[in-house]
Amino acid sequence: MAGPAHVLEAANPAFFTAIGGERRERTGVPLGDLMPELKGQGFLALLDQVYRTGERHVGRDTRVVLGVGRQAREAFVDFTYEARRDSGGNVIGVRMIGVETTQAKHARRLAAEQRALLEQIARQAPLPEVLEGMCRVIEELSPDVIVSVLLADEDGCRLHHGAAPSLPVFYNEAIDGIATGEGAGSCGTAAHRRRKVIVTDIATDPLWDDFRDLAVRAGLAACWSTPILARDGRVLGTFAMYHRTPRAPQDTDLALARLFVDTAGLAIERHHAEQARRTADAREKAARDDLSFLLNVSTALAGPLDEGQTLRRVADLAVPALAPLAVVDVLEAGRVHRVAAAATTGHARELLASHGALRETGDDAVARVLATGLTEVARRTPVGPGLWQELGVTGYVCVPLMDRERPFGVLSLFATDDASLGGHRIALAEEVARRAASAARNARQYAQRAALARDLQTGLLLPDLPDVPGAQLAALYRPAGQGLDIGGDFYDVFPRGDGSWSFVLGDVCGRGARAATTTALVRHTARAVAPLLDDPVSVVKAVDRALNDRNSQQNNGFVTLVYGHLTQADDGLAVELVRAGHTPPLLLDACHTVTPVEVPGGLLGIGIPPTLDAVRLTLRPTESLVLYTDGITECRAADTEQYGEERLAGALASVPVRPTATDVVRSLTEDIRAFMGGHTVDDDQAALVVTAEGPSPVSR
């Protein structure tokens, strides 16, 4: 440049390219005329200063706007102004040497911004936050650009708003959910074609025919859109750069788009992976919750409940886990009865419980389910009569309770405004109903078997002990378990027809129906032969033969017993008894001394004729003969030794003076209960006490 006007004398091609290319490729004109945009930016003043002083000026990464109007661009340069001198040392002009640093500066800033975005992605920042930050970064790097990111749905057929902080809200709302396809603007077309679509003038491009008015309203004139693709080729979305004036992209614009499309793709894929993980975690948690709920249901229904308790329990379990309202209706004798109602509030439960009218119409859902055995679901108020408006019911599901392919009841769940019955809850309801039906069926069968066992046990024991002249009788009987199986202990007292009486107490090996048949055989055989045979030994041998004569498949093991005859005498009761493998009877005399009645005798029903002997004794007035089973002496409390014969003798010896048979049984019962401490007995316990009557004890 020459002279104070800085007339351009010469420049290399790089200079002319930087300031605008061929349209500015001129020399012989002042620099201010060639580049009027320099006025106001301080560069001409610096030239004047160097020309005037002759001192060099150096600038580093200095910002300059090159060009005017639509052709203007921001650039950064390192430059040096130094004086040109003649041979005499006089300043005749200025030489400028410069290096444009725009790309390097942009690259450094891009790297920093991209690093920040990658850090956001790495720490799993929310996708909208990452995408909006990316849009703002690009808009700061290129102030005349408006950036938008749209996200594709799972099948890639529609695009939804992702981020566009500088676009009008109405515009974002209008294009949210647009279908991909040819002619669907720049973004819809780019997603459809799976390649970049550049529209330099929206006003004339046919791809924008359906959206041109919207673009004009938003002040948009150009749009370049690039599809965001996953590593497997799926369309993840689109990255768009808008301009408010028609223009074509430069290489720097395309490079910027490529860089941030890759970053956006990484962020979206990371988001999808995180969503998939969270979905998998949610499904796993839901599965665990479902399993826990069903386990709780099974545990709650596994207790010793009757059928009514079971159905009430299942209604309670269903609320609020499955629905806010639940009822159970059952079919009994051709009529429908409501047996359970549950709700989140007491008032709602009362309303449900009060509406238990029988169903006479085919329009009623419960009646239909009972008729078909199929689940019925409706997202509306039930058609049948009911307090549906008061309860706020908006939908229902009725699930059958099945017993061997036949419905015997219905579990009904009702939704309100605050709850819904989706497919997941319906499936859970069906599984709960299946388990509830099974538990109710088991409870019903248990109750039937327990009732049968009680009836059969009652038939095998005396309802009341008879009145025996000269004697008092009392008995203790405590079956083991919960009454479902019939015990093997028994006792009986019956007349022989000649004024004497027979008594027997025994123990059958085993429990249940087979033990019951053995008990019945022993009792009935003894009752049948006792009037015909004179001595107890013969009666017991007859019982043994009857046991051994049974079919081998009916054999239920051995039997032990004590059998004897009672005859009233002037000095008390004459007793003749036989012991067949049983625990020895105990004699409680008037002085409260307890003595075992020792008499040998083998087991019955084992196929070997037992060796039996009879023993005779006399019970003086107030003396007692105590017969008992080993369930008493062998019972245990928690972590203690057996009750034992010594404690039994002590309990008998502690009875009141001149005890009755009832006193003896009461004392024994109280001592056993105190020893057991509330624990359940493991074996049947039975005792029979015979006490001789009399005004006062008489010495032998």
Side-chain angles (χ1 to χ4, degrees):
M1 291 169 285
H6 313 301
V7 175
L8 183 63
E9 290 187 339
N12 65 0
F15 172 80
F16 290 117
T17 300
I19 67 172
E22 294 181 358
R23 60 186 179 82
R24 286 190 168 186
E25 196 168 333
R26 292 182 296 154
T27 58
V29 296
L31 187 63
D33 294 341
L34 181 65
M35 301 175 63
E37 67 268 24
L38 293 181
K39 295 175 183 177
Q41 297 189 56
F43 292 98
L44 297 180
L46 286 174
L47 287 173
D48 291 341
Q49 177 182 328
V50 172
Y51 184 84
R52 185 175 60 255
T53 64
E55 296 180 359
R56 187 174 67 165
H57 176 83
V58 177
R60 292 283 182 265
D61 256 351
T62 303
R63 179 180 180 274
V64 58
V65 176
L66 300 175
V68 294
R70 291 170 54 183
Q71 304 299 323
R73 72 179 182 92
E74 180 185 57
F76 293 86
V77 293
D78 289 344
F79 68 94
T80 301
Y81 288 166
E82 58 185 19
R84 295 172 57 206
R85 300 177 183 273
D86 60 15
S87 59
N90 299 312
V91 176
I92 60 172
V94 177
R95 180 185 296 108
M96 187 273 287
I97 302 172
V99 177
E100 184 171 350
T101 62
T102 304
Q103 291 186 352
K105 186 176 183 64
H106 277 197
R108 289 194 299 271
R109 185 173 178 184
L110 279 175
E113 297 292 355
Q114 189 182 34
R115 184 165 53 251
L117 290 173
L118 292 175
E119 288 175 356
Q120 280 188 302
I121 296 170
R123 63 178 172 83
Q124 298 181 353
L127 181 63
E129 178 182 322
V130 174
L131 296 180
E132 182 164 335
M134 183 181 71
C135 293
R136 293 192 183 280
V137 165
I138 299 171
E139 290 172 352
E140 289 176 6
L141 293 173
S142 301
D144 57 341
V145 171
I146 301 172
V147 181
S148 167
V149 178
L150 297 179
L151 302 176
D153 56 17
E154 189 172 352
D155 58 7
C157 294
R158 290 191 175 275
L159 298 174
H160 300 274
H161 175 72
S166 299
L167 283 174
V169 173
F170 73 85
Y171 185 86
N172 290 331
E173 292 176 348
I175 65 172
D176 186 22
I178 64 169
T180 61
E182 193 68 24
S186 299
C187 294
T189 305
H192 173 68
R193 294 179 181 176
R194 305 168 69 84
R195 64 176 184 271
K196 187 186 288 87
V197 171
I198 296 175
V199 172
T200 58
D201 190 351
I202 291 175
T204 59
D205 198 298
L207 295 180
W208 280 81
D209 287 347
D210 295 337
F211 303 94
R212 187 168 290 114
D213 292 342
L214 180 66
V216 170
R217 183 183 169 196
L220 304 176
C223 180
W224 321 322
S225 182
T226 304
I228 304 172
L229 302 179
R231 283 169 292 181
D232 60 3
R234 291 178 298 112
V235 176
L236 299 176
T238 58
F239 172 86
M241 301 173 73
Y242 291 90
H243 288 269
R244 297 196 180 279
T245 58
R247 59 165 291 183
Q250 299 179 2
D251 291 342
T252 54
D253 297 320
L254 298 179
L256 195 65
R258 283 194 300 271
L259 177 65
F260 282 98
V261 161
D262 291 341
T263 305
L266 179 62
I268 297 170
E269 283 198 285
R270 182 64 177 265
H271 173 72
H272 286 177
E274 180 63 17
Q275 278 191 320
R277 185 190 65 77
R278 290 180 180 177
T279 301
D281 289 346
R283 288 175 179 171
E284 182 181 354
K285 182 180 182 302
R288 288 197 305 268
D289 291 344
D290 290 349
L291 180 58
S292 176
F293 173 67
L294 292 175
L295 287 175
N296 289 337
V297 169
S298 296
T299 302
L301 299 179
L305 307 175
D306 60 28
E307 183 178 2
Q309 289 175 314
T310 298
L311 297 178
R312 288 191 293 273
R313 180 68 61 84
V314 75
D316 291 336
L317 290 169
V319 174
L322 299 180
L325 306 170
V327 297
V328 177
D329 300 295
V330 298
L331 184 64
E332 296 176 351
R335 300 174 73 109
V336 177
H337 301 273
R338 179 150 297 170
V339 297
T344 52
T345 66
H347 178 64
R349 189 194 63 77
E350 291 175 1
L351 290 178
L352 284 174
S354 66
H355 178 60
L358 47 127
R359 275 81 172 171
E360 302 282 349
T361 170
D363 289 338
D364 184 78
V366 172
R368 287 192 296 273
V369 173
L370 286 171
T372 64
L374 301 175
T375 298
E376 180 172 317
V377 182
R379 287 168 176 81
R380 57 172 173 77
T381 301
V383 176
L387 305 172
W388 313 124
Q389 296 298 327
E390 294 89 334
L391 292 167
V393 173
T394 58
Y396 65 89
V397 54
C398 295
V399 185
L401 302 171
M402 306 296 291
D403 183 3
R404 296 182 179 87
E405 308 301 326
R406 292 178 59 252
F408 68 89
V410 176
L411 169 64
S412 299
L413 305 176
F414 301 99
T416 63
D417 292 337
D418 299 325
S420 62
L421 294 172
H424 176 251
R425 290 194 180 184
I426 293 170
L428 272 181
E430 291 180 324
E431 179 60 23
V432 169
R434 186 188 67 78
R435 299 187 183 204
S438 176
R441 180 170 61 250
N442 292 339
R444 189 185 317 121
Q445 292 174 346
Y446 180 92
Q448 292 170 348
R449 290 180 61 191
L452 177 61
R454 286 193 300 269
D455 292 344
L456 188 52
Q457 188 81 63
T458 301
L460 295 174
L461 296 174
L462 286 174
D464 294 298
L465 290 169
D467 292 329
V468 176
Q472 299 173 357
L473 302 178
L476 176 155
Y477 184 78
R478 294 181 67 190
Q482 301 180 8
L484 187 60
D485 287 332
I486 303 156
D489 291 7
F490 65 93
Y491 60 86
D492 198 1
V493 180
F494 54 89
R496 298 180 66 232
D498 60 356
S500 64
W501 290 75
S502 293
F503 65 89
V504 62
L505 179 139
D507 188 357
V508 174
C509 176
R511 298 179 62 81
R514 297 180 69 183
T517 61
T518 301
T519 299
L521 177 62
V522 172
R523 288 185 59 204
H524 295 159
T525 300
R527 279 179 171 263
V529 303
L532 306 177
L533 302 174
D534 292 334
D535 65 289
V537 172
S538 299
V539 174
V540 174
K541 287 184 176 181
V543 170
D544 182 60
R545 285 193 298 272
L547 290 171
N548 290 322
D549 287 344
R550 292 180 301 174
N551 185 290
S552 61
Q553 294 183 354
Q554 293 179 318
N555 191 291
N556 197 50
F558 59 85
V559 175
T560 69
L561 58 78
V562 175
Y563 173 82
H565 294 162
L566 293 174
T567 305
Q568 188 175 19
D570 294 339
D571 55 353
L573 284 175
V575 179
E576 184 178 11
L577 62 84
V578 175
R579 184 173 73 93
H582 201 75
T583 54
L586 299 177
L587 178 62
L588 175 64
D589 64 18
C591 298
H592 286 199
T593 301
V594 179
T595 307
V597 179
E598 298 289 353
V599 55
L603 301 173
L604 305 182
I606 62 174
I608 301 174
T611 300
L612 301 171
D613 289 313
V615 65
R616 293 176 177 82
L617 57 92
T618 300
L619 290 179
R620 307 298 183 181
T622 72
E623 293 185 339
S624 299
L625 181 68
V626 180
L627 287 68
Y628 64 94
T629 61
D630 59 8
I632 292 177
T633 55
E634 295 179 0
C635 69
R636 295 177 183 270
D639 301 326
T640 65
E641 59 185 8
Q642 292 181 346
Y643 184 78
E645 296 175 357
E646 184 176 347
R647 179 157 183 152
L648 172 59
L652 296 176
S654 66
V655 297
V657 177
R658 302 176 64 184
T660 64
T662 302
D663 291 334
V664 176
V665 169
R666 182 185 301 113
S667 178
L668 179 58
T669 301
E670 290 175 354
D671 194 68
I672 292 173
R673 286 178 177 169
F675 174 78
M676 295 294 292
H679 290 83
T680 304
V681 296
D682 297 325
D683 192 9
D684 299 336
Q685 297 177 347
L688 177 64
V689 178
V690 180
T691 303
E693 289 185 335
S696 60
V698 179
S699 302
R700 298 190 186 188

